[in-house]
Amino acid sequence: MASTARLQAPIGQRALFITTLAVPLTGWTVHALALHRKLAAARRDPLTGLLGRDGFTTRARQITDRYGDSALVVLVDLDHFKQINDGPGGHAAGDRVLAATATRLTAWAGSRGAVGRLGGDEFAVAARIGPARRELRLAQLTKLLAQPVQVEDGVLVDVAASIGAASPDGLGTTDLSVLQRAADAAMYAGKHTSRAVLATPQHATVPSINGRRAGRPGTDSLGRAA
């Protein structure tokens, strides 16, 4: 009996020691999970719910690395968006248009695609779309983004978008920065033409600052910040 008592004492002490450690560890685990959720939320654009620039970059790289030549990177700019913001509906109408664009891009990209709002009225998509389907899918996207958006009081606002796309097989690389730079140049080449432009290797040679075509609004400040 004495030996049994002596054995139970150390076991009880060890259990108490483990329990004492577990309490702060459990607290840190809960804290870490909460922090993770906050960080994940911070990577989302609050207006559209889309990924922010950093979150999109991470996810897009995963897509291009995984799918290679079957990946497609798309950049989208809304045309005449300032006129919508400055119109009768004001910024509320602009917000509706941005939110509607986000919903349409998300539906087009599918559950395995990545959609981000890079800033203002600029969006980006990375998705698995093979060479045989690209032309058709990009035409579908052009039509989808050109549908009027209903704002307050049932008013319909006409919208349109400029679209540029780039693929690893077309450029010979899966480097996301190169793909985005080429897609940006292709998008500018097709500005206000109501058609999506698929980048060629020549588009990748257009001078850029931080992945944006040189001379594009915002590039000068980005360059100074860099």
Side-chain angles (χ1 to χ4, degrees):
M1 292 293 291
S3 61
T4 302
R6 284 194 298 271
L7 286 172
Q8 288 177 339
I11 293 174
Q13 292 172 0
R14 287 197 296 272
L16 178 61
F17 178 70
I18 293 172
T19 302
T20 303
L21 284 177
V23 171
L25 286 175
T26 301
W28 276 110
T29 300
V30 172
H31 175 72
L33 290 174
L35 181 60
H36 176 74
R37 286 193 292 268
K38 289 180 180 180
L39 289 173
R43 295 172 67 146
R44 294 275 175 180
D45 172 56
L47 174 63
T48 63
L50 298 180
L51 293 168
R53 185 180 293 271
D54 290 343
F56 172 77
T57 298
T58 298
R59 182 73 184 105
R61 281 178 176 154
Q62 293 172 350
I63 291 173
T64 54
D65 289 344
R66 179 174 182 179
Y67 296 118
D69 289 348
S70 292
L72 188 68
V73 174
V74 182
L75 289 188
V76 174
D77 261 358
L78 296 180
D79 295 337
H80 311 299
F81 182 71
K82 187 176 184 301
Q83 295 179 11
I84 297 175
N85 262 340
D86 294 343
H91 289 285
D95 288 349
R96 290 285 185 93
V97 170
L98 292 173
T101 300
T103 299
R104 293 169 179 180
L105 289 173
T106 299
W108 182 82
S111 59
R112 296 185 179 180
V115 184
R117 183 184 178 197
L118 303 186
D121 60 333
E122 181 182 0
F123 299 84
V125 181
R128 182 184 183 184
I129 301 176
R133 302 172 59 227
R134 283 179 193 146
E135 185 175 346
L136 175 61
R137 292 297 310 280
L138 287 172
Q140 291 173 340
L141 179 61
T142 301
K143 292 181 180 179
L144 182 64
L145 295 180
Q147 294 179 7
V149 174
Q150 187 175 32
V151 296
E152 292 183 358
D153 300 324
V155 175
L156 292 177
V157 175
D158 291 328
V159 294
S162 296
I163 303 169
S167 60
D169 61 318
L171 300 182
T173 180
T174 59
D175 187 322
L176 182 63
S177 62
V178 175
L179 293 170
Q180 285 186 306
R181 180 168 69 246
D184 182 74
M187 178 181 66
Y188 180 74
K191 198 73 174 172
H192 307 306
T193 64
S194 299
R195 64 184 180 88
V197 178
L198 187 61
T200 65
Q202 286 70 30
H203 289 110
T205 64
V206 173
S208 66
I209 299 174
N210 290 351
R212 294 163 61 95
R213 178 181 48 80
R216 184 174 179 179
T219 53
D220 289 341
S221 60
L222 282 173
R224 287 195 299 270

